[in-house]
Amino acid sequence: MIEFKNVTKTYGSIKALDGFTTKIEDGKIVGLLGPNGTGKSTSLKIAAGLSKPDFGSVEINGAEPSKETKAQVAFLPEIDHLYPWMTIRRCADFISAFYADWDWDKYKELVEFLGLNPSTVIGKISKGMRAKAKLLFTFSRNAPIVLLDEPLSGIDVLVREKIIQTIVRDYGKGGQTIVISTHEISEIEPLIEYVIFLEDGKIKLEGNVEDLRFKYKRSLVDIMKEVYGR
Amino acid sequence: MNTNKGRMFARLYLKDLQDIKMESAIFMVSIAIWNLFLYLKYLSNWPYELSLGFSAIAFGIAAFIPFVESFKLLWDEWKHNTVYLIMSLPVSGTMVLLSKLAVIVTQYMALSLFSTACFLLLAYATPAWEAGWSFIRSVITDQSLPIKFAMLFYASSVVGIMYTAALAFLSSVVGKLARKHSGLASFGTFLIAGYVCSKASDLISRGLEKLGVTGLYYNHPYVLRDATISGFPTAPMLSLLIVGAAVFILAVRVYESAVEL
């Protein structure tokens, strides 16, 4: 379980998170939604242990973010964070050394499924292929918690479909917790079970997707438009 | 998957080693060509002392490149956004910075030993070798003194590299705390920390000498015939090691507790 308790984070004069409080239960695919600059990436970075709250706290399965919790979390940032001079295989060798949950069989299956060539140098492939490579390293692990920050950002439609297929491919209901932050809801709407809408670092609306659809009698995309008054 | 600290450290070390491989190779090839050029100049009637003097420039560069690299290794993590990957790994800041320190020392040892080999080859190919050895052997009593002195000097230089790398790490991570002008913040930190550390090192060195640890100079420095090296390690070397370790620990603390993305 990921628990945010009254988390506040500011960057200069900008409040990225403002008393953010929520509990993300195990075994769910959760959508962290909202327009740009609402605190989605900040909350994921804090959960991944890359950033620290100014006030409040975050707990990953009852423990504050640390190197122990990092072993349970697979974090996919929005930006390209892989060594550009490494080949995909070399990068897999590098990352695999740090995680007990790395699964080489899964890696080989995903390489094929995503149409990647292990001998390709990461810095020399297209943005779409890099997005696939990032996903490969994230899902080659059997991490209990997966944090995906804008996994579809700037990716063409065909690659988006492949990414979504990858996310749901090995998702074992009841086991893995996947948190997806995005401002592009239509593609991930069929995936997510729980949704958190953020605005100005605060929760604007949260709940089970089915309950919200039933309550508002409309799709998540339309609920979002109503929530943000657009 | 088998994970242990040794394997994690090895992967971090090899990753950074791979990163500096090309620069180190370019330097080695350049030094080899430079020494070949100096040898050809000697054959065309240059004084061999001049050729050897120019060859010795490589020692300075061999120390300067790892110094620059100790900044670059950390700065590149931010430049390529790979700091996101490094900081999300389940490893301590100590392991991350220690692996980089090990790479810096490896690079220094490789470059300095290569420069020394080229220098000695050049000396061997000129009258300097025979003249130098003949002179040294004629004036000293302890024939192993040049080797001992070279080892003392080399060990001191390795400690010096570790100390400057620790300073560079501290400056880099402090610079990364600044929202603007992080390069300037790093430079300022390096100057201030360098000044404070040199004063601290002097004080510690003097304290160690009072405790009986020998100074840098070999006995009878002005009478080469009876010279001996009176102790190892020397007080300045130890004090530099102590200050360097303190700076390194501080850099790790800042990296772990204050650096955020």
Side-chain angles (χ1 to χ4, degrees), chain A residues 131-144:
Chain A
K132 284 182 179 178
K134 280 161 62 179
L135 213 65
L136 165 71
F137 301 126
T138 307
F139 283 98
S140 291
R141 291 178 55 196
N142 294 309

Side-chain angles (χ1 to χ4, degrees), chain A residues 9 11-12 45 50-52 67 70-71 77 79-83 85-86 90 93-100 102 104, chain B residues 1 3 5 7-8 11-12 15 18-19 77 80-82 84-92 179 256-257 259-261:
Chain A
K9 180 74 186 173
Y11 295 106
K45 280 195 285 186
L50 272 61
S51 195
K52 293 175 188 72
K67 65 176 179 159
K70 285 176 184 178
I79 50 154
D80 289 335
H81 68 307
L82 303 173
Y83 288 93
W85 50 267
M86 280 187 182
R90 197 181 175 93
D93 281 338
F94 175 70
I95 294 173
S96 67
F98 298 92
Y99 299 104
W102 180 270
W104 278 109
Chain B
M1 277 296 299
T3 55
K5 284 184 178 176
R7 190 159 175 256
M8 291 179 189
R11 287 300 159 99
L12 287 169
K15 183 263 297 174
Q18 176 76 18
D19 204 15
E77 300 284 14
H80 299 304
N81 294 320
T82 48
Y84 280 82
L85 178 59
I86 289 295
M87 285 188 73
S88 59
L89 296 175
V91 294
S92 64
R179 293 187 63 77
E256 285 183 338
S257 61
V259 171
E260 292 183 50
L261 301 176

Side-chain angles (χ1 to χ4, degrees), chain B:
Chain B
M1 277 296 299
N2 171 33
T3 55
N4 62 58
K5 284 184 178 176
R7 190 159 175 256
M8 291 179 189
F9 181 84
R11 287 300 159 99
L12 287 169
Y13 171 78
L14 291 172
K15 183 263 297 174
D16 282 328
L17 202 62
Q18 176 76 18
D19 204 15
I20 62 155
K21 194 174 70 178
M22 187 56 77
E23 289 151 40
S24 305
I26 290 170
F27 174 79
M28 286 180 173
V29 171
S30 306
I31 289 302
I33 293 170
W34 176 239
N35 278 280
L36 186 65
F37 167 77
L38 292 172
Y39 177 64
L40 293 174
K41 290 299 279 182
Y42 154 70
L43 290 181
S44 64
N45 291 328
W46 254 37
Y48 66 81
E49 294 91 341
L50 203 58
S51 283
L52 286 172
F54 278 119
S55 176
I57 290 172
F59 297 130
I61 300 170
F64 183 69
I65 287 179
F67 169 68
V68 173
E69 205 65 55
S70 51
F71 283 98
K72 197 172 159 285
L73 274 181
L74 265 179
W75 279 78
D76 277 358
E77 300 284 14
W78 269 267
K79 187 179 157 194
H80 299 304
N81 294 320
T82 48
V83 67
Y84 280 82
L85 178 59
I86 289 295
M87 285 188 73
S88 59
L89 296 175
V91 294
S92 64
T94 307
M95 191 185 282
V96 171
L97 293 187
L98 207 57
S99 66
K100 291 187 187 298
L101 183 68
V103 168
I104 297 298
V105 172
T106 305
Q107 188 185 40
Y108 171 69
M109 291 178 89
L111 298 187
S112 58
L113 291 175
F114 187 79
S115 303
T116 306
C118 287
F119 178 85
L120 291 177
L121 267 176
L122 185 65
Y124 189 71
T126 66
W129 185 267
E130 200 49 51
W133 268 122
S134 302
F135 172 73
I136 291 168
R137 293 171 80 118
S138 67
V139 295
I140 57 172
T141 310
D142 179 6
Q143 294 298 310
S144 64
L145 184 73
I147 302 294
K148 283 183 190 166
F149 190 79
M151 285 173 69
L152 177 65
F153 178 78
Y154 193 64
S156 302
S157 74
V158 171
V159 170
I161 287 292
M162 288 163 75
Y163 163 77
T164 51
L167 268 179
F169 292 165
L170 178 67
S171 316
S172 299
V173 292
V174 169
K176 289 298 169 194
L177 302 182
R179 293 187 63 77
K180 285 180 181 174
H181 309 299
S182 59
L184 199 63
S186 285
F187 183 64
T189 306
F190 184 79
L191 290 183
I192 294 165
Y195 178 77
V196 172
C197 288
S198 71
K199 294 290 172 198
S201 177
D202 283 349
L203 274 175
I204 294 169
S205 184
R206 268 184 247 139
L208 287 170
E209 282 181 42
K210 279 180 190 164
L211 289 172
V213 181
T214 50
L216 175 67
Y217 302 108
Y218 50 87
N219 292 340
H220 309 294
Y222 305 112
V223 188
L224 202 56
R225 185 173 56 83
D226 298 320
T228 55
I229 291 170
S230 51
F232 182 88
T234 61
M237 192 197 293
L238 264 183
S239 67
L240 213 55
L241 204 58
I242 291 165
V243 175
V247 172
F248 182 82
I249 290 165
L250 188 60
V252 169
R253 287 268 176 260
V254 175
Y255 177 83
E256 285 183 338
S257 61
V259 171
E260 292 183 50
L261 301 176

Side-chain angles (χ1 to χ4, degrees), chain A residues 7 14-21 32-40 43 182 196-206 223-230:
Chain A
V7 174
I14 299 163
K15 225 170 205 176
L17 288 175
D18 186 6
F20 180 48
T21 302
L32 202 54
L33 311 179
N36 288 326
T38 48
K40 303 185 298 293
S43 52
T182 186
I196 300 166
F197 288 105
L198 281 171
E199 188 177 54
D200 298 329
K202 291 178 186 160
I203 294 176
K204 185 89 171 170
L205 178 71
E206 71 175 317
I223 294 171
M224 184 179 174
K225 283 177 185 166
E226 189 176 315
V227 165
Y228 295 104
R230 289 168 194 188

Side-chain angles (χ1 to χ4, degrees), chain A:
Chain A
M1 185 170 67
I2 307 170
E3 192 170 3
F4 291 84
K5 293 177 186 167
N6 202 25
V7 174
T8 298
K9 180 74 186 173
T10 49
Y11 295 106
S13 59
I14 299 163
K15 225 170 205 176
L17 288 175
D18 186 6
F20 180 48
T21 302
T22 192
K23 271 185 192 174
I24 296 173
E25 301 290 341
D26 288 342
K28 284 198 168 149
I29 300 186
V30 178
L32 202 54
L33 311 179
N36 288 326
T38 48
K40 303 185 298 293
S41 297
T42 303
S43 52
L44 290 190
K45 280 195 285 186
I46 289 173
L50 272 61
S51 195
K52 293 175 188 72
D54 297 334
F55 300 104
S57 63
V58 176
E59 286 183 1
I60 310 289
N61 294 329
E64 283 191 4
S66 61
K67 65 176 179 159
E68 282 75 27
T69 64
K70 285 176 184 178
Q72 303 167 41
V73 174
F75 175 56
L76 183 148
E78 184 183 4
I79 50 154
D80 289 335
H81 68 307
L82 303 173
Y83 288 93
W85 50 267
M86 280 187 182
T87 62
I88 286 171
R89 172 66 204 207
R90 197 181 175 93
C91 193
D93 281 338
F94 175 70
I95 294 173
S96 67
F98 298 92
Y99 299 104
D101 55 25
W102 180 270
D103 185 337
W104 278 109
D105 291 334
K106 218 171 155 189
Y107 163 82
K108 284 171 195 160
E109 283 172 24
L110 280 170
V111 162
E112 205 161 305
F113 179 72
L114 291 165
L116 292 164
N117 178 357
S119 59
T120 315
V121 176
I122 290 166
K124 291 183 178 169
I125 55 179
S126 67
K127 189 174 180 182
M129 293 298 260
R130 283 203 300 277
K132 284 182 179 178
K134 280 161 62 179
L135 213 65
L136 165 71
F137 301 126
T138 307
F139 283 98
S140 291
R141 291 178 55 196
N142 294 309
I145 296 169
V146 179
L147 307 174
L148 308 172
D149 190 9
E150 302 280 2
L152 308 174
S153 175
I155 307 298
D156 67 59
V157 178
L158 292 176
V159 179
R160 279 177 183 216
E161 277 178 17
K162 209 69 177 169
I163 287 174
I164 289 165
Q165 286 166 19
T166 308
I167 293 169
V168 291
R169 190 175 173 269
D170 294 306
Y171 172 62
K173 215 164 187 175
Q176 209 167 35
T177 306
I178 301 178
V179 184
I180 309 172
S181 104
T182 186
H183 58 276
E184 296 162 278
I185 303 177
S186 53
E187 275 103 340
I188 67 150
E189 178 163 357
L191 303 183
I192 52 177
E193 299 163 276
Y194 193 85
V195 66
I196 300 166
F197 288 105
L198 281 171
E199 188 177 54
D200 298 329
K202 291 178 186 160
I203 294 176
K204 185 89 171 170
L205 178 71
E206 71 175 317
N208 280 310
V209 172
E210 280 307 316
D211 294 347
L212 290 174
R213 279 201 199 108
F214 183 75
K215 185 181 170 189
Y216 287 86
K217 305 272 188 280
R218 60 190 74 177
S219 72
L220 216 51
V221 177
D222 292 331
I223 294 171
M224 184 179 174
K225 283 177 185 166
E226 189 176 315
V227 165
Y228 295 104
R230 289 168 194 188

